[in-house]
Amino acid sequence: MTTKWADIFAPVMAQGREVRDGQALLGQGIIDALEHKGSLVAQAGTGTGKSFASLIPIITQIQKAKKQKKSFRAIVSTETLILQRQLIDKDLPFLSSLYSDFTYRKLMGRSNYLCFEVAKGAAVGDFQMNMLVEKLKLRQGNLGDGEKDDVERVLGRELTEEQWSKIASSSSFCPDNQCSGEKCYSTRARELAKSADLVVVNHAILATDVEMKAGDPLADGMLGQFEALVVDEGHQLEPVLVNAWTKELTERELEQMAANLLQGVEDAKGVVPNHKIGKLAHDSMDDLRALLLNIKKFYMLLGEKSNQDWHGSSTSLSLKTVRGAVTGPLAHAMNEFENENPGRLARVGVALDEVSKYLFQVVCKATEEKIKGVRKIRKGYTAVRSLQEMVQIISKAFETPDGIIQAYGTYGALVDGFEKQDGTPWMKIRLVPLDVSQKVKSLWGKPGGQTNILLSATLTDLTDGTFRYARECIGFPDGPEIDVNSPFNLQEQQLVYITPSNRADKVEGAQYSFSELLDLIQASRGRALILFTSRKELDWATEQL
């Protein structure tokens, strides 16, 4: 028997909440998708009540599963932290007071959590940081989830972004996710999330989960196994995935990865002796350094020839046709670019394959035999795997006329030029996925095995008025579609007010008077959306309020 929206929404109605036709239509659509393990695309305008329309059916499904002693976990993903906080701090606490027997957690990226292992390293030789860390240790029981707000509450003061970065969890410190939950609140948050019935995340976490599971449907990844996925603010999923899966390489990042790789190899030799692997690793890093140096020199000289500024430039990494006579330094750099770099990349590819196999063997042995010092070997293995992926794609870029690579997925290879404050030029190679639709398909699970809801206020393709592009760009499964209009008549129910520019009672640094700001807020009963022309004005108004 099909569950009816009116029945499961009744506890909320009993609290005086109004019935919205659009919300009922959306809620029923999500109920049907859950009961048939299908996929639904839903566009619902502002004010529809999307959050309750998705959360209540999921909570009901969790309750049903528990009565049948079955497992049912759901992931709700948002693009913005604002919506994530609304769900966790407002909507779910309210619903948990009405619907019993379900648990929920929030999970964010690791840089949002305190890590005592990172903090311990930052405290070395820094008296102030050492005092801060000791205070946190003494009051660890009061740190809650170990987020920045929790840390600032315990310390009784705000932290700068620089201070927070020194004590927050970091992928560069622990790329293998081996920190214990007692020392790292990111690890703790992941462990708690995997045991919760409903987990609220952001789209970047979904990207990480896909990477960690690597197409294995039984892998735990970042989020564990789940039966339902709601992607709210779904129109932003594709750009988030593109950004998360873009690979970047600078000379500085190469040195960091080289240090991790070489240290990992050195430590690994103490577990499984290998007299050749050290030289192989060092030579491959020297080849990569020479490669990046030549690419930067060649592209800078190309820019000079075409009167293009290096700072802010972005050019495809590909074979180049240079107009006119090529002489002097440009001719030398071009010859090295075309004739020596492919050989370097080939040698590096072979070497990294050997190093990767060796480090994987050592990590397995060290883990099995519980040998100390395995973390640095794991960091080396992570570094070599990252470099392998980038070298494979860059090698293909040297075979293309436009930097578009149809291998290992579809990538665009770019060379970005910058200048430091002291005028020193530096370069970033970006490998941007131009199509994520195939890679992201694993997120949607097997047909008939997982419910997927793609939800947003703006999914319609402006060219044809359909959801075609919204589906195709993220490989979303076939299924029903719903388009719910906003319950508000925006043409008649909104008012735009612009402060006159010739007012005599301006406040210095702001283009409005404070009394006028208060009048607008009070006249709209707190529903005013106030836009500022500068951050300075916004900060001033916040302080005054």
Side-chain angles (χ1 to χ4, degrees):
M1 183 177 177
T2 302
T3 303
K4 299 298 182 184
W5 169 256
D7 296 333
I8 65 173
F9 190 61
V12 178
M13 287 180 61
Q15 301 299 310
R17 298 295 180 102
E18 62 185 0
V19 178
R20 302 178 188 176
D21 292 340
Q23 186 182 56
L25 177 63
L26 177 60
Q28 191 62 54
I30 292 175
I31 289 170
D32 294 342
L34 286 165
E35 293 187 345
H36 294 92
K37 296 182 179 179
S39 296
L40 172 71
V41 176
Q43 179 170 270
T46 303
T48 302
K50 294 188 294 292
S51 297
F52 279 14
S54 58
L55 292 175
I56 294 173
I58 286 174
I59 292 168
T60 303
Q61 201 70 19
I62 292 170
Q63 292 173 325
K64 284 183 180 179
K66 288 193 174 184
K67 286 180 182 178
Q68 299 170 2
K69 296 185 178 180
K70 295 180 180 179
S71 172
F72 187 91
R73 293 184 69 242
I75 308 296
V76 177
S77 180
T78 73
E79 195 270 330
T80 60
L81 289 176
I82 293 173
L83 181 53
Q84 193 178 23
R85 290 193 185 108
Q86 176 193 314
L87 297 177
I88 285 293
D89 298 337
K90 182 181 177 183
D91 295 342
L92 283 167
F94 172 74
L95 293 176
S96 67
S97 69
L98 305 177
Y99 302 85
S100 59
D101 202 22
F102 79 96
T103 58
Y104 62 90
R105 297 288 304 184
K106 173 177 65 175
L107 181 62
M108 301 185 292
R110 66 168 70 202
S111 62
N112 293 282
Y113 297 98
L114 169 69
C115 178
F116 277 110
E117 285 290 325
V118 174
K120 182 172 69 174
V124 175
D126 188 330
F127 177 76
Q128 294 294 332
M129 184 58 67
N130 187 62
M131 293 291 289
L132 182 149
V133 173
E134 288 302 316
K135 184 174 182 179
L136 292 175
K137 285 181 179 178
L138 289 173
R139 302 188 63 185
Q140 189 169 357
N142 298 323
L143 280 171
D145 291 331
E147 298 175 23
K148 187 180 179 185
D149 290 346
D150 297 316
V151 172
E152 289 176 336
R153 172 175 46 77
V154 167
L155 294 175
R157 63 182 177 87
E158 293 185 357
L159 295 176
T160 65
E161 289 302 319
E162 182 181 1
Q163 290 172 325
W164 174 247
S165 67
K166 291 180 178 179
I167 62 175
S169 181
S170 163
S171 58
S172 61
F173 178 83
C174 184
D176 52 4
N177 299 308
Q178 295 298 313
C179 279
S180 70
E182 294 179 359
K183 296 179 180 179
C184 181
Y185 283 85
S186 173
T187 302
R188 181 173 175 269
R190 289 198 302 273
E191 292 169 351
L192 291 171
K194 285 182 179 180
S195 64
D197 300 319
L198 193 159
V199 186
V200 180
V201 303
N202 55 51
H203 296 347
I205 296 292
L206 297 183
T208 302
D209 188 61
V210 171
E211 293 264 64
M212 291 177 67
K213 288 178 178 174
D216 182 354
L218 299 179
D220 265 355
M222 187 82 163
L223 297 171
Q225 299 294 306
F226 50 86
E227 285 67 43
L229 171 61
V230 177
V231 180
D232 203 346
E233 299 177 311
H235 63 290
Q236 288 291 348
L237 180 60
E238 184 200 21
V240 170
L241 294 178
V242 168
N243 183 63
W245 292 340
T246 292
K247 305 176 191 301
E248 298 182 348
L249 184 63
T250 65
E251 291 161 295
R252 179 180 177 184
E253 287 166 341
L254 174 60
E255 292 306 323
Q256 290 174 338
M257 285 192 280
N260 287 339
L261 188 155
L262 296 174
Q263 184 63 58
V265 167
E266 191 63 29
D267 289 359
K269 289 192 295 184
V271 180
V272 178
N274 187 318
H275 302 296
K276 297 180 180 179
I277 202 73
K279 185 177 187 307
L280 196 64
H282 275 281
D283 288 348
S284 67
M285 294 302 100
D286 286 341
D287 270 333
L288 280 178
R289 291 183 183 102
L291 174 83
L292 292 193
L293 186 62
N294 169 251
I295 292 173
K296 182 173 71 173
K297 182 177 180 181
F298 178 50
Y299 274 74
M300 287 181 67
L301 291 170
L302 276 179
E304 288 179 12
K305 182 176 177 63
S306 58
N307 295 318
Q308 181 184 15
D309 288 337
W310 172 250
H311 183 67
S313 63
S314 187
T315 314
S316 64
L317 176 60
S318 60
L319 295 173
K320 295 296 179 186
T321 301
V322 182
R323 295 180 180 179
V326 180
T327 59
L330 177 58
H332 179 76
M334 186 173 180
N335 179 66
E336 183 180 349
F337 182 83
E338 293 179 345
N339 299 317
E340 295 186 36
N341 285 342
R344 285 170 177 154
L345 287 164
R347 289 195 300 272
V348 170
V350 172
L352 291 181
D353 285 345
E354 288 296 316
V355 174
S356 176
K357 291 175 185 176
Y358 171 68
L359 289 180
F360 179 74
Q361 172 195 0
V362 176
V363 166
C364 291
K365 178 180 176 64
T367 303
E368 183 179 344
E369 298 179 8
K370 298 181 179 179
I371 297 173
K372 292 183 178 180
V374 70
R375 166 170 281 177
K376 290 184 178 180
I377 303 174
R378 283 201 187 100
K379 287 179 74 172
Y381 179 67
T382 300
V384 74
R385 292 291 296 149
S386 296
L387 287 171
Q388 274 182 300
E389 292 179 6
M390 287 188 276
V391 166
Q392 287 173 341
I393 299 170
I394 292 171
S395 297
K396 293 295 182 182
F398 275 82
E399 302 172 6
T400 70
D402 55 9
I404 306 299
I405 303 141
Q406 301 290 347
Y408 316 108
T410 303
Y411 280 89
L414 297 168
V415 176
D416 297 339
F418 303 91
E419 283 186 1
K420 297 180 182 178
Q421 289 185 345
D422 62 1
T424 304
W426 65 285
M427 174 192 70
K428 177 192 294 180
I429 294 178
R430 279 190 299 139
L431 307 174
V432 184
L434 304 180
D435 180 3
V436 299
S437 62
Q438 294 303 310
K439 184 173 181 177
V440 74
K441 278 186 177 179
S442 62
L443 182 65
W444 313 124
K446 293 183 178 180
Q450 177 181 307
T451 298
N452 301 295
I453 311 294
L454 184 65
L455 190 60
S456 177
T458 52
L459 286 174
T460 305
D461 188 334
L462 296 178
T463 62
D464 60 13
T466 70
F467 300 146
R468 178 184 55 82
Y469 181 77
R471 284 181 175 279
E472 290 180 355
C473 71
I474 55 172
F476 196 76
D478 292 335
E481 298 177 351
I482 296 176
D483 191 353
V484 181
N485 291 324
S486 170
F488 303 118
N489 185 336
L490 298 179
Q491 294 297 323
E492 296 182 4
Q493 290 181 275
Q494 69 178 350
L495 176 68
V496 179
Y497 176 85
I498 302 174
T499 304
S501 60
N502 60 351
R503 288 186 60 94
D505 57 346
K506 289 182 186 177
V507 176
E508 184 178 354
Q511 299 299 312
Y512 50 80
S513 72
F514 186 60
S515 61
E516 186 172 16
L517 178 65
L518 285 176
D519 288 344
L520 286 171
I521 294 172
Q522 291 168 356
S524 62
R525 289 183 290 177
R527 296 178 181 177
L529 173 64
I530 302 170
L531 305 180
F532 294 80
T533 58
S534 75
R535 180 59 187 248
K536 182 179 179 181
E537 294 181 355
L538 172 60
D539 289 341
W540 180 88
T542 302
E543 183 180 349
Q544 299 304 310
L545 286 170

